[in-house]
Amino acid sequence: MSPLSHRLGLTSGELTFIAETCPGAPRSVAALLDLLPWKTQLVHVRWSGEGVWVPLGERDFELPWENATRYPAPGEVLFYPGGYSETEILLAYGPCSFASKLGPIAGNHIMTVVEGSERLPELGRRCLWEGAQSLELTLLESITPTGVQP
């Protein structure tokens, strides 16, 4: 796969963020890009700390473990390909230790919020106290290592 980086727009109500994909998880990033443009909902995590997630149920993306972690930093987005728990995408907005009702799990780090991270705690607060929040993901641009768009 080519070493592209992608910038995505994430919008929830009036809260906007820009994220960049991680080259260490090319197959997981490709699976996410195949969903775009994507409208879904975020809900607050139950066992992982300060994070929100998009449940994807039993959907099988046939993804390998690429750069899996269970401790995402605020602004990091993980793609859990399923197995012990349902398939999901998790966005950490504060201290987070990725887990399910069966215990600790890990996910592939697919992107990191690079603009708007100061608004992530508000997104988390809304999901926790107001319930599910809308989320729209769109591809803004693809960037080669030299900075030229393909």
Side-chain angles (χ1 to χ4, degrees):
M1 296 196 183
S2 66
L4 290 176
S5 176
H6 307 277
R7 290 174 62 88
L8 281 72
L10 289 74
T11 304
S12 181
E14 79 285 354
L15 300 175
T16 60
F17 310 92
I18 295 177
E20 291 183 359
T21 59
C22 299
R27 289 189 52 195
S28 298
V29 168
L32 175 68
L33 294 175
D34 284 345
L35 297 172
L36 302 181
W38 186 28
K39 291 182 180 182
T40 187
Q41 289 193 315
L42 288 167
V43 292
H44 202 275
V45 299
R46 291 179 267 188
W47 298 281
S48 300
E50 295 183 356
V52 294
W53 65 302
V54 177
L56 297 169
E58 299 303 314
R59 189 164 178 184
D60 186 358
F61 289 87
E62 299 182 15
L63 296 175
W65 296 107
E66 295 181 287
N67 61 356
T69 182
R70 68 174 301 253
Y71 300 105
E76 291 183 349
V77 178
L78 305 183
F79 197 136
Y80 177 71
Y84 293 109
S85 186
E86 68 184 289
T87 304
E88 66 184 87
I89 294 175
L90 175 134
L91 166 59
Y93 68 86
C96 196
S97 179
F98 198 16
S100 75
K101 62 184 173 184
L102 299 175
I105 56 176
N108 295 329
H109 178 195
I110 56 170
M111 64 181 162
T112 302
V113 172
V114 295
E115 292 180 28
S117 58
E118 70 280 1
R119 293 183 290 277
L120 287 170
E122 176 59 17
L123 178 62
R125 186 200 65 75
R126 290 179 185 184
C127 287
L128 181 63
W129 294 106
E130 298 173 16
Q133 299 292 306
S134 66
L135 177 68
E136 184 172 354
L137 291 92
T138 56
L139 179 63
L140 300 176
E141 63 183 338
S142 298
I143 306 165
T144 65
T146 60
V148 178
Q149 291 187 6

